């Protein structure tokens, strides 16, 4: 019962206490404060005072504390008088204006509750406090750089030679702004304005004094001076002519050295001091090297395979060789060090042998060629035929042809009457400046009948004119494919040409071409993609920019796709000088074409407030590509073989112990040591000397399996065999060792074969390797044992007079 009485009293006491502390403290809803950095006193407006309606009741009407919300707020509030509720806001530590200029946080007041222990306390509403930090001028101005350089031309007074700049780390506008600059050197001919622009107050004389050194200080708006002066160097220049200085007119380029800087010490002398904008153009002229520049000089057919096109193209202008001999009488254009091209002067043409002409052309095929052509001489321009497939005898019908007429490119395609008996598109005309600009261009005629598309240097052009015609009636007349002119089967007087023609006659050839051609191919189907076309015309030499990322923020660069033109724009002269020093020449060909590459640099300059202030003369220089280290291709093996005639029916391995060696070396420019250069061949010819192989009785044989996994093909004829394709020396050696000579009937006692190999389309050719085969007849054969008479039993023997293989590259 005693415990129950005590409990009742306690409950009654707490109920009374609650009734005493009836009200929450009250404060203003917001406060604005100011604190000076590096002090702890915050001046608040209004003052920090908390009121409680429970006053004058002890504890309940008194203020015991203020609570600051926000861990990031470096402030605290203390109670100065519990009865009046007066408080003070102060910083817990030093306040730095440069780190944070203002703070916003929440504050709350609490009363003392109902007793000394603070039970039953009540809190006010939350008020917003915004404190601004007052700045102290504690930092001195600091110059952005301690040394400045400017130049003036003698006899000229400038409004501004250069501008110095200082900054201040104080946080307020009053103390962080630079209000004044001052030259501290005595007796100078220069003045400075409040923005830091230095000018000369009188004209200067170069002979009297060419260099001035002055000291400059800065003051912030609180009149605090810079701790360290800046030194300004003013250079007096004699009257000069604007232009590029520090460049060499002749730059030697050693093949295999990668990228070489063209102007490592070059700088532009403007003679006007500061400029506002500069544009510099560097142009590389490479028209003297091969087909417009240094491209790979493999055959067009080989390049198509290397660029990813499928097999099947026919090279109509190959390097002259034993089997591909129809180009032997044409005039090479460009010399042995350049890409293989032929010059046609209006009197030359080449008849393509029947076994070479593709027979499977349908509604889809592609013609590719490089062409350099100028306007036709004379007032009346005649047709100039690049390629023509026409009747060999009886008539003069053109089945398809590609020709130039009045600087227009025309492609003629006549369909067979068996396919249709109505008008169909037959002539496609393009008018382009490139056709007669006397420069090399790459042309691709893509036929997807009835649509014919022309690509010139990778750009697509649709014909501006398409004319229709009747189809050609089918006949048994053989066709003649001609390059550089067009064959007519009927002579000019109207009589039929019935006898077989083995050579050219003036009355059988019309529409000669005048210009240069290279890499003329025809293939069934279309070239796969724009990417392949771009690959085929890619230059292996051009301009480059070393480490452009270091200047990209202040200099704009443009490098054209052919890498023959670099355009740079910027506002800073020194940055432009630095950018030009990074321009380099690079030639990635293993054996580049030697000779000169011309450079031209043109410059446009603007000054402040003017369109054009100076004229900078163009300059010309020459990159001289030195003679590359040439490969020497050596072929070794047995010089004589002796074999019984009866065993030749099984086939004789002619080159079983063949070795092909290249001795090309180059100097490693980093170590100075000689290093061997690995390179490829692109064809090898096996020629039969003396009488040709007798059709059906003698042949050179190569099994198709020998080509598996290699980028090689072969062509066979009565005069020998050609193995071609861009591939390694080891692959060529492996394939040639499998070539066999077969004779099904007794022949003469001696057969002689000549083997030559080449790379880069005949640019580098091996020595001539001669092999003499002595054939024993009758009793002589029993006295001789030949160790090279074990042909594989699986060998397939092929007997046509002329055969050509397909490609067996595994990479396609």
């Amino acid at each position: 019962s005693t415990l129950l009485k005590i409990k009742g009293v306690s409950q009654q006491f707490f109920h009374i206490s609650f009734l005493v502390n009836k009200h929450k403290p009250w404060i203003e809803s917001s406060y604005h404060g100011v604190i000076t950095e590096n002090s702890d006193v915050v001046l608040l407006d209004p003052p920090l005072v908390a009121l409680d309606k429970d006053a004058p009741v002890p504890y309940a009407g008194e203020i015991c504390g203020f609570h600051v919300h926000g861990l990031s707020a470096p402030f605290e509030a203390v109670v100065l008088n519990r009865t009046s509720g007066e408080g003070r806001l102060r910083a817990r530590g030093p306040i730095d204006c440069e780190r944070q200029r203002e703070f916003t946080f929440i504050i709350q007041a609490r009363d003392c509750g109902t007793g000394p222990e603070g039970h039953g306390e009540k809190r006010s509403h939350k008020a917003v406090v915004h404190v601004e930090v007052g700045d102290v001028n504690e930092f001195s101005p600091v110059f952005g750089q301690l040394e400045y350089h400017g130049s003036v031309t003698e006899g000229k007074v400038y409004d501004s030679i250069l501008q110095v700049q200082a900054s201040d780390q104080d946080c307020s506008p009053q103390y962080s702004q630079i209000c004044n600059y001052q030259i501290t050197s005595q007796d100078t001919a220069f003045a400075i304005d409040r923005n830091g622009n230095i000018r000369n107050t009188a004209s200067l004389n170069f002979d009297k004094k060419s260099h001035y050194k002055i000291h400059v200080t800065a003051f912030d708006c609180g009149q605090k001076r810079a701790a360290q002066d800046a030194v300004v160097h003013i250079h007096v220049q004699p009257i000069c002519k604007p232009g590029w200085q520090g460049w060499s007119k002749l730059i030697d380029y050693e093949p295999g050295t990668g990228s070489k800087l063209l102007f490592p010490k070059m700088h532009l002398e403007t003679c006007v001091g500061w400029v506002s904008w500069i544009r510099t153009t560097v142009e590389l002229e490479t028209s003297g090297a091969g087909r417009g520049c240094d491209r790979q000089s493999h055959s067009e057919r080989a390049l198509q395979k290397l660029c990813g096109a499928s097999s099947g193209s026919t090279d109509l202008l190959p390097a002259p060789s034993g089997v591909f001999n129809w180009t032997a009488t044409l005039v090479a254009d460009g010399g042995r060090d350049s890409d293989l091209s032929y010059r046609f002067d209006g009197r030359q043409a080449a008849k393509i042998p029947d076994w070479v002409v593709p027979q499977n052309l349908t509604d889809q095929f592609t013609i590719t060629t490089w062409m350099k052509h100028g306007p036709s001489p004379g007032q009346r321009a005649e047709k100039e035929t690049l390629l023509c497939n026409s009747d060999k005898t009886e008539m003069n019908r053109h089945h398809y042809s590609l020709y130039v007429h009045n600087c227009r490119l025309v492609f003629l395609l006549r369909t067979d009457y068996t396919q249709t008996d109505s008008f169909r598109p037959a002539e496609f005309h393009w008018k382009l400046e490139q056709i007669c600009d006397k420069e090399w261009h790459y042309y691709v005629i893509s036929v997807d009948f009835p649509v014919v598309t022309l690509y010139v240097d990778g750009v697509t052009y649709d014909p501006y004119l398409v004319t229709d015609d009747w189809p050609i009636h089918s006949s048994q007349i053989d066709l003649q494919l001609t390059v550089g002119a067009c064959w007519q089967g009927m002579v000019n007087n109207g009589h039929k040409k019935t006898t077989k023609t083995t050579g050219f006659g003036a009355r059988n050839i019309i529409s000669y071409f005048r210009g240069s051609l290279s890499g003329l191919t025809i293939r069934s189907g279309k070239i796969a993609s724009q990417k392949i076309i771009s690959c085929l015309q890619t230059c292996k030499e051009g301009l480059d920019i070393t480490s452009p990322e270091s200047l990209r923020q202040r200099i704009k660069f443009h490098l054209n796709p052919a890498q023959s033109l670099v355009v740079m724009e910027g506002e800073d002269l020194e940055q432009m000088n630095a950018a030009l020093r990074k321009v380099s020449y690079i030639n990635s060909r293993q054996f580049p074409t030697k000779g000169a590459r011309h450079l031209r640099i043109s410059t446009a300059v603007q000054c402040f407030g003017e369109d054009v202030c100076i004229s900078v003369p163009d300059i010309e220089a020459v990159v001289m590509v030195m003679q590359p280290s040439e490969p020497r291709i050596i072929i070794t093996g047995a010089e004589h073989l002796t074999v019984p005639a009866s065993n030749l029916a099984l086939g004789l391995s002619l080159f079983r112990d063949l070795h092909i060696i290249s001795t090309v070396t180059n100097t490693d420019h980093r170590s100075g040591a000689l290093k061997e250069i690995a390179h490829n061949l692109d064809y090898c010819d096996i020629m039969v000397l003396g009488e040709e192989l007798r059709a059906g009785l003698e042949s050179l044989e190569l099994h198709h399996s020998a080509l598996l996994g290699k980028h090689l093909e072969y062509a066979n004829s009565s005069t020998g065999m050609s193995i071609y394709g861009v591939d390694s020396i080891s692959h060529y050696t492996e394939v040639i060792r499998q070539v066999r000579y077969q004779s099904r009937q007794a022949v003469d006692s001696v057969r002689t074969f000549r083997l030559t190999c080449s790379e880069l389309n005949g640019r580098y050719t091996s020595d001539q390797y001669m092999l003499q085969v002595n054939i024993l007849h009758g009793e002589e054969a029993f006295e001789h044992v030949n160790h090279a008479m074990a042909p594989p039993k699986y060998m397939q023997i092929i007997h046509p007079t002329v055969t050509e293989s397909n490609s067996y590259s595994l990479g396609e």
Side-chain angles (χ1 to χ4, degrees):
S1 62
T2 303
L3 292 174
L4 290 174
K5 291 179 181 180
I6 295 174
K7 183 177 180 181
V9 172
S10 299
Q11 290 178 343
Q12 185 180 7
F13 173 77
F14 286 123
H15 179 68
I16 294 173
S17 298
F18 177 75
L19 293 176
V20 171
N21 192 10
K22 295 188 298 181
H23 301 94
K24 296 188 296 183
W26 178 89
I27 59 175
E28 297 286 347
S29 60
S30 63
Y31 295 89
H32 182 80
V34 176
I35 183 173
T36 303
E37 63 175 338
N38 301 324
S39 69
D40 64 348
V41 178
V42 180
L43 300 179
L44 283 180
D45 182 24
L48 182 59
V49 178
L51 302 177
D52 196 311
K53 291 183 178 180
D54 292 319
V57 178
Y59 301 114
E62 297 175 338
I63 304 300
C64 271
F66 296 93
H67 181 65
V68 175
H69 294 273
L71 297 176
S72 61
F75 297 96
E76 62 181 4
V78 295
V79 177
L80 299 180
N81 189 312
R82 294 173 58 171
T83 301
S84 65
E86 181 181 358
R88 175 180 295 169
L89 184 66
R90 64 187 181 189
R92 294 199 302 266
I95 301 297
D96 190 349
C97 176
E98 284 69 43
R99 295 184 59 184
Q100 188 167 343
R101 295 193 59 184
E102 56 186 27
F103 299 87
T104 300
F105 53 91
I106 302 297
I107 194 170
Q108 230 178 347
R110 63 180 175 85
D111 60 21
C112 296
T114 59
E117 293 81 9
H119 297 297
E121 70 174 24
K122 290 184 180 293
R123 296 197 176 196
S124 70
H125 62 270
K126 295 179 180 179
V128 178
V129 182
H130 182 76
V131 177
E132 293 183 0
V133 183
D135 189 19
V136 173
N137 194 3
E138 56 185 326
F139 292 100
S140 301
V142 176
F143 284 95
Q145 56 193 75
L146 293 179
E147 286 199 14
Y148 292 83
H149 291 268
S151 62
V152 297
T153 302
E154 61 177 345
K156 186 175 180 180
V157 177
Y158 293 79
D159 293 331
S160 177
I161 301 172
L162 59 86
Q163 184 182 27
V164 297
Q165 286 186 324
S167 60
D168 195 301
Q169 296 185 24
D170 286 308
C171 67
S172 64
Q174 179 182 3
Y175 299 138
S176 65
Q177 290 185 0
I178 307 300
C179 276
N180 193 26
Y181 291 92
Q182 181 178 320
I183 295 176
T184 60
S185 302
Q186 300 297 320
D187 301 327
T188 65
F190 301 93
I192 188 169
D193 63 18
R194 62 183 303 168
N195 294 319
N197 293 299
I198 297 177
R199 60 183 177 85
N200 56 324
T201 56
S203 61
L204 306 176
N205 187 285
F206 175 79
D207 295 329
K208 183 178 180 180
K209 192 173 183 178
S210 63
H211 172 246
Y212 291 84
K213 180 180 178 181
I214 59 178
H215 291 261
V216 175
T217 190
F219 296 88
D220 63 20
C221 294
Q223 292 304 305
K224 194 162 191 174
R225 178 175 172 168
Q228 187 173 1
D229 291 352
V231 179
V232 179
H233 299 271
I234 306 294
H235 304 274
V236 182
Q237 303 289 345
I239 297 175
C240 64
K241 296 181 180 179
W244 290 101
Q245 297 181 2
W247 58 280
S248 176
K249 188 174 181 61
L250 180 64
I251 304 109
D252 290 334
Y253 180 79
E254 189 72 28
T257 56
S259 180
K260 180 171 183 176
L261 295 175
L262 295 173
F263 316 108
K265 299 181 180 179
M266 194 171 185
H267 67 277
L268 179 62
E269 177 57 71
T270 63
C271 301
V272 296
W274 286 83
V275 297
S276 62
W277 176 83
I278 312 166
R279 183 183 66 212
T280 302
T281 302
V282 183
E283 185 174 5
L284 176 67
E285 175 59 54
T286 59
S287 59
R291 300 186 300 260
C293 75
D294 233 349
R295 295 180 170 89
Q296 287 289 17
S297 57
H298 298 302
S299 69
E300 181 71 15
R301 178 176 184 164
L303 282 175
Q304 288 183 18
K305 291 184 66 177
L306 292 174
C307 287
S310 58
S311 303
S313 64
T314 301
D315 194 348
L316 302 181
L317 289 176
S321 64
V323 176
F324 307 115
N325 56 5
W326 61 89
T327 58
T329 59
L330 299 180
V331 178
D333 183 14
R336 63 180 294 271
D337 289 339
S338 298
D339 302 332
L340 182 65
S341 56
Y342 296 98
R343 185 173 67 252
F344 296 83
D345 58 2
R347 297 187 298 271
Q348 295 175 315
K351 287 173 58 180
I352 309 302
D354 293 340
W355 65 271
V356 176
V357 179
Q359 302 298 323
N360 57 345
L361 298 184
T362 58
D363 287 346
Q364 282 191 341
F365 62 95
T366 305
I367 299 173
T368 65
T369 188
W370 287 90
M371 180 177 74
K372 181 171 68 172
H373 182 265
S376 302
Q379 294 183 351
R380 182 181 178 184
E382 304 292 340
K383 289 183 179 180
E384 299 179 53
T385 303
L386 286 74
L387 178 69
C388 179
N389 194 32
S390 58
D391 291 330
K392 184 176 291 188
T393 59
E394 307 293 335
M395 288 185 284
N396 292 332
R397 298 177 303 174
H398 296 178
H399 294 255
Y400 62 84
S401 66
L402 181 64
Y403 63 89
V404 175
H405 190 210
N406 289 323
C407 292
R408 291 166 172 81
L409 187 67
V410 183
F411 178 64
L412 169 69
L413 178 62
R414 302 287 299 279
T415 56
D416 290 337
Y417 194 84
T418 55
Q419 298 174 341
T420 182
D421 58 355
S422 60
F423 259 28
R424 301 197 74 184
E427 274 193 340
F428 304 83
H429 300 248
W430 294 271
K431 183 179 180 181
L432 303 172
E433 294 180 359
Q434 295 93 318
I435 296 171
C436 284
D437 66 359
K438 299 182 181 180
E439 300 289 343
W440 281 105
H441 297 286
Y442 186 59
Y443 297 82
V444 177
I445 306 287
S446 180
V447 179
D448 189 3
F449 196 81
V451 177
V452 177
T453 305
L454 171 68
Y455 297 86
V456 182
D457 298 332
V459 179
T460 307
Y461 295 92
D462 294 324
Y464 79 93
L465 174 66
V466 178
T467 59
D468 296 341
D469 203 347
W470 292 104
I472 293 178
H473 287 275
S474 60
S475 67
Q476 301 300 318
I477 301 174
D478 293 332
L479 302 180
Q480 176 62 59
L481 183 61
T482 310
V483 173
C486 197
W487 177 266
Q488 57 175 357
M490 183 181 293
V491 295
N492 295 338
N493 58 12
H495 295 293
K496 297 178 180 179
K497 182 77 174 178
T498 58
T499 59
K500 183 179 180 180
T501 303
T502 58
F504 282 111
R507 301 194 325 181
N508 298 102
I509 298 296
I510 60 173
S511 304
Y512 282 100
F513 179 70
R514 295 177 178 86
S516 296
L517 297 176
S518 179
L520 177 59
T521 69
I522 188 168
R523 58 180 289 122
S524 176
K526 297 187 295 183
I527 286 185
S529 66
Q530 182 83 31
K531 181 179 180 181
I532 293 177
I533 295 175
S534 299
C535 173
L536 291 171
Q537 67 178 40
T538 299
C539 268
K540 291 294 183 178
E541 64 176 338
L543 299 173
D544 195 14
I545 303 174
T546 306
S547 303
E549 61 278 356
S550 61
L551 297 169
R552 193 173 299 279
Q553 294 182 351
R554 304 191 68 178
I555 297 293
K556 295 180 180 179
F557 295 93
H558 171 70
L559 186 62
N560 70 338
Q563 289 189 244
S564 61
L565 185 72
V566 176
V567 180
M568 298 178 288
E569 295 185 15
E571 300 176 354
D572 188 284
L573 177 60
E574 288 305 316
Q575 289 285 330
M576 180 60 69
N577 288 335
L580 196 62
R581 296 184 194 118
K582 293 179 179 292
V583 177
S584 61
Y585 169 82
I586 187 170
N587 195 320
S588 59
R589 277 190 66 180
Q590 193 173 47
F591 306 108
T593 305
K594 68 176 181 180
R597 314 292 198 269
H598 293 276
L599 286 166
R600 175 183 292 272
I601 300 179
S602 55
T603 308
V605 178
Q606 291 182 1
C607 298
F608 292 99
E610 302 179 43
D611 291 337
V612 177
C613 55
I614 60 172
S615 177
V616 179
D618 291 352
I619 66 172
E620 295 184 356
V622 171
V623 177
M624 184 61 67
V625 178
M626 310 304 289
Q627 176 70 46
S629 300
E630 298 188 358
R632 185 185 176 198
I633 307 168
I634 302 172
I635 304 175
T636 60
E639 298 180 358
H640 300 274
L641 291 178
T642 302
V643 58
S646 59
N647 289 347
L648 289 179
L650 299 176
L652 170 66
S653 295
L654 293 175
F655 308 105
R656 192 170 62 179
D657 61 348
L658 176 78
H659 293 279
I660 304 176
I661 304 170
S662 171
T663 59
V664 62
T665 57
N666 199 359
T667 302
D668 189 326
H669 290 267
R670 287 176 293 185
S671 64
L674 292 178
K675 61 178 181 179
E676 196 78 14
I677 297 179
H679 58 101
N680 297 324
L681 301 178
D682 53 18
Y683 72 80
C684 286
D685 274 340
I686 304 170
M687 293 299 300
V688 179
L689 301 185
E691 294 184 4
E692 296 183 2
L693 298 176
R694 295 175 296 172
L697 299 177
E698 292 180 280
S699 62
L700 292 175
E701 307 294 342
L702 179 62
H703 197 272
H704 286 171
S705 62
L707 303 178
L708 290 175
K710 304 174 180 66
H711 295 277
L712 296 177
E713 304 173 65
Y714 76 91
N716 214 352
S717 75
S718 60
T719 60
M721 176 184 289
S722 283
I723 302 169
Y724 52 92
V726 179
D727 213 331
S728 64
I729 291 177
S730 61
H731 277 181
Y732 266 95
T733 303
E734 180 182 339
V735 170
I736 295 172
R737 286 177 179 175
Q738 300 182 56
V739 174
R740 305 177 70 83
Y741 165 62
Q742 183 189 36
S743 177
R744 313 189 77 185
Q745 194 178 82
V747 295
D748 296 337
S749 58
V750 176
R751 265 296 188 192
T752 304
F753 301 90
R754 181 182 68 201
L755 173 64
T756 56
C757 294
S758 170
E759 69 171 308
L760 297 181
N761 229 6
R763 179 174 171 183
Y764 301 118
T765 306
S766 70
D767 55 345
Q768 295 184 356
Y769 166 64
M770 309 291 290
L771 172 63
Q772 180 177 301
V773 179
N774 300 312
I775 304 171
L776 303 179
H777 298 273
E779 295 181 356
E780 292 179 310
F782 294 100
E783 300 175 1
H784 181 84
V785 177
N786 193 307
H787 298 285
M789 297 304 300
K793 295 181 180 180
Y794 61 82
M795 177 165 288
Q796 177 184 358
I797 306 301
I798 305 173
H799 298 293
T801 303
V802 177
T803 61
E804 184 174 6
S805 79
N806 293 322
S807 171
Y808 289 86
S809 170
L810 295 180
E812 300 173 355

